[in-house]
Amino acid sequence: RGPTDPVPPPRLSVVIPMYNEVDNVEPMVARVHRGLADYGGSWELICVDDGSRDGTGERLGQVAKRYGRHLRVIRLRRNFGQTAAMQAGFDAARGELIATLDGDLQNDPADVPRMVEELIERDLDLLQGWRRRRQDDLVMRKIPSRIANALIGKVTGVALHDYGCSLKIYRAEVVRELTLLGEMHRFIPVWVAGVTDPSRIGETEVAHQARQFGTSKYGISRTFRVLLDLLAAFFFLRFGSRPGHFFGSIGIVFGVIG
């Protein structure tokens, strides 16, 4: 094919949002290629630079020239947050299936082919990774994450061990029914449960490694944001199609008191 010929749609799209991860760009892209070397179908890699200020976007552009047209780079004009970056990747993805990973090398791309096969064999719409042996700080990362996972499962009824794991495999037709806003990427399984049966959402254990380069973008303050987002998720799931039942009930109570 010539340089202007259209590229046939791939079977799998791998979406990786990145923010200030310049030192992780080259090793991450190399690991994705190694991890998918034995994948039997065609695939593309979509890296979304979420307004990085450390040269991540420029480094991605340089690496893309070496690897070819299956590596696509999307650069956002400013930092919109991980949810918006993920949505931009979903909008650009052309595959029947979509895989997402973090850009910090903590997820192992070698898990992706196995997860694709498992999603198909189990006839799922979403397969969520579970970092059972998570290599993160206990106080700053593990404990807040466990609290958040328990709360989300209790409130929404979608019980998973590890909502925060970015390593997921989706059917593209389901993802395209979602519109992600704010900081709602942690609740993607909850939103998926709003457009498909919860029985079609599964989880599987995945590898997890300690961060080698750069610094984490999350801390203990994330727990409070999760609580606020959880309230929003609860409202939209329970009353999104009938908001009058929610506000009407409140109005009746105050009307009776009045």
Side-chain angles (χ1 to χ4, degrees), residues 15-203:
V15 174
I16 303 180
M18 305 188 76
Y19 175 62
N20 289 346
E21 297 283 2
V22 64
D23 292 328
N24 284 320
V25 169
E26 296 196 40
M28 180 273 296
V29 172
R31 283 185 59 184
V32 169
H33 282 78
R34 289 198 302 270
L36 295 180
D38 295 328
Y39 176 64
S42 58
W43 58 276
E44 66 178 354
L45 172 58
I46 300 174
C47 296
V48 183
D49 172 37
D50 185 23
S52 299
R53 297 182 178 181
D54 67 343
T56 296
E58 291 80 1
R59 185 70 58 84
L60 282 169
Q62 296 167 5
V63 172
K65 292 178 181 178
R66 299 203 307 264
Y67 278 89
R69 288 191 293 172
H70 69 286
L71 171 52
R72 302 164 60 198
V73 178
I74 299 173
R75 298 187 63 181
L76 304 185
R77 287 189 173 89
R78 67 172 179 85
N79 177 229
F80 288 93
Q82 186 173 351
T83 300
M86 199 169 287
Q87 181 68 60
F90 288 161
D91 291 341
R94 300 180 302 133
E96 300 171 17
L97 303 174
I98 299 175
T100 56
L101 306 112
D102 271 335
D104 56 12
L105 296 178
Q106 291 193 265
N107 297 139
D108 190 350
D111 282 322
V112 171
R114 172 185 62 81
M115 292 179 68
V116 168
E117 292 182 6
E118 186 173 342
L119 177 132
I120 294 172
E121 289 174 0
R122 295 171 61 182
D123 193 24
L124 300 174
D125 289 326
L126 166 61
L127 183 60
Q128 167 78 51
W130 174 17
R131 301 165 294 182
R132 190 167 191 172
R133 297 171 180 82
R134 185 172 178 178
Q135 305 299 311
D136 275 325
D137 181 81
L138 177 64
V139 176
M140 298 299 293
R141 300 295 299 276
K142 289 184 179 180
I143 291 178
S145 182
R146 289 170 185 170
I147 294 172
N149 290 328
L151 282 172
I152 295 169
K154 185 70 173 178
V155 171
T156 65
V158 182
L160 296 172
H161 289 91
D162 191 2
Y163 272 88
C165 181
S166 294
L167 182 49
K168 299 177 176 70
I169 309 293
Y170 313 78
R171 292 190 189 272
E173 60 191 279
V174 173
V175 168
R176 293 192 177 102
E177 295 188 43
L178 308 178
T179 300
L180 304 178
L181 301 170
E183 294 188 19
M184 307 300 280
H185 58 275
R186 175 179 284 274
F187 299 96
I188 287 179
V190 176
W191 301 124
V192 170
V195 299
T196 189
D197 194 280
S199 65
R200 295 183 63 82
I201 299 174
E203 64 181 344

